[in-house]
Amino acid sequence: CVLLLLSVCCGNAMSAEDPPWIAAAKGKLLCFAPNSEEKTCHEIDLIEKLADGTFRISSEYLASEEPRVVQKWSGSITIEGTKACSDITREVLASARFLEDGVELSATEAQPFLDAHIQKFTPLIDHRFCLDLTGDDPLFIVEFSIDGKALPSATTRMRLVAPEDGYRLRPLN
């Protein structure tokens, strides 16, 4: 299951150590499991390179189709070669926000979605989660690993799309 989503806006200068997908993604969205015909993604990510050289990722995906609830969360990532990595913590999972029609749900309304989110990702808590992105702009292959162990069954695609392309979220099916 993909953990990340939104758009890549790497406004700061790229360094020689940054992987090719970071530079290619400047000003574009990372659309995971894309369907180009329907212009949909399972998840969309925003990666920002901060002034101190670190990276922040903001992610969103569809938590529920009916009602249509979008989950958003963000956290720090490190770039290790062609990989984007993060240590999954309970605090990061608990920081998720849930929106219906663009309006943030109250804590009471969001609680069932938050509980489901935390339960789904509890096995990843206190583990290092990495995405290895290879390929050429605009389509990349994404391979996942936890604590360095590959998860071949989770391999997916990621397409770089411009915000004005009109891609939207869909469930992963």
Side-chain angles (χ1 to χ4, degrees), residues 4 14 25 46 66 70 78 88 103 113 116 120 122-123 131 140 157 168 172:
L4 309 176
M14 299 296 106
L46 163 64
E66 190 57 45
V70 172
T78 59
I88 305 300
V103 177
F113 297 107
K120 181 178 182 179
T122 292
L131 308 173
F140 294 83
R157 296 169 296 131
R168 63 192 189 291
L172 183 63

Side-chain angles (χ1 to χ4, degrees), residues 4 19 21-22 47 57 77-86 128-133:
L4 309 176
W21 62 268
I22 288 284
I47 298 177
I57 188 158
I77 61 169
T78 59
I79 303 299
E80 302 170 8
T82 57
K83 296 179 182 178
C85 299
S86 179
R128 186 127 179 102
F129 183 81
C130 294
L131 308 173
D132 191 5
L133 295 103

